[in-house]
Amino acid sequence: MESDVRYHWHFSLGAEGSGAVGPGMGCVRGVLARLPDGDGAAGDGGADGAGRRREDVLLVACELLANACDHTPGPTGLDVDLDGGRLTVAVTDAAVTRPVPRPWNPGQPHGHGLHVVERVSAEWGVSPFPGGKTVWAALPAP
């Protein structure tokens, strides 16, 4: 993908509340379907290379959306940015509490989301603002 390619998609999730994961994931799938494959054609990217990176984007988006649903009143916005070789997924909510990874305990059924985001993403972070925050994760573009 060329380094000067830049796109931004914004989706409002304010009315969805705790049911925002499904609609949010539909938005991310729609964005990924518009991105060109390595051969320049739009599509799913195949089983390796771009296809695996697309799966990573979906996994990270799902974790960010689910965390916002589980630990806040619900996500209010979803942004996907493509800037050259970097794709960033960002979920905004109206809670000011910063997410913190729980201590790693593989025997627990919950509490692994931020560990997954940290492991799959090139980097992730939190951008606070008055009345809320945006949790974002950057990955290599598919």
Side-chain angles (χ1 to χ4, degrees):
M1 188 156 302
E2 294 184 26
S3 62
D4 62 347
V5 175
R6 289 188 174 98
Y7 293 100
H8 173 82
W9 294 270
H10 172 77
F11 305 96
S12 176
L13 300 174
E16 301 297 337
S18 64
V21 175
M25 292 303 294
C27 295
V28 175
R29 282 187 192 94
V31 167
L32 293 175
R34 293 180 176 159
L35 298 180
D37 288 338
D39 63 2
D44 67 8
D48 40 295
R52 287 187 186 156
R53 289 189 302 273
R54 289 169 193 267
E55 290 172 1
D56 288 347
V57 169
L58 290 170
L59 176 62
V60 167
C62 187
E63 289 295 341
L64 294 180
L65 287 162
N67 282 349
C69 289
D70 290 346
H71 303 289
T72 77
T76 57
L78 168 67
D79 291 274
V80 181
D81 288 286
L82 177 65
D83 188 354
R86 177 179 163 126
L87 189 137
T88 303
V89 177
V91 175
T92 300
D93 63 63
V96 296
T97 306
R98 295 175 64 94
V100 177
R102 294 181 186 173
W104 175 249
N105 186 345
Q108 295 295 320
H110 299 285
H112 307 290
L114 288 178
H115 294 286
V116 170
V117 170
E118 188 171 68
R119 177 144 283 177
V120 174
S121 303
E123 64 179 317
W124 74 278
V126 181
S127 300
F129 58 88
K133 68 183 172 302
T134 300
V135 182
W136 56 268
L139 301 95

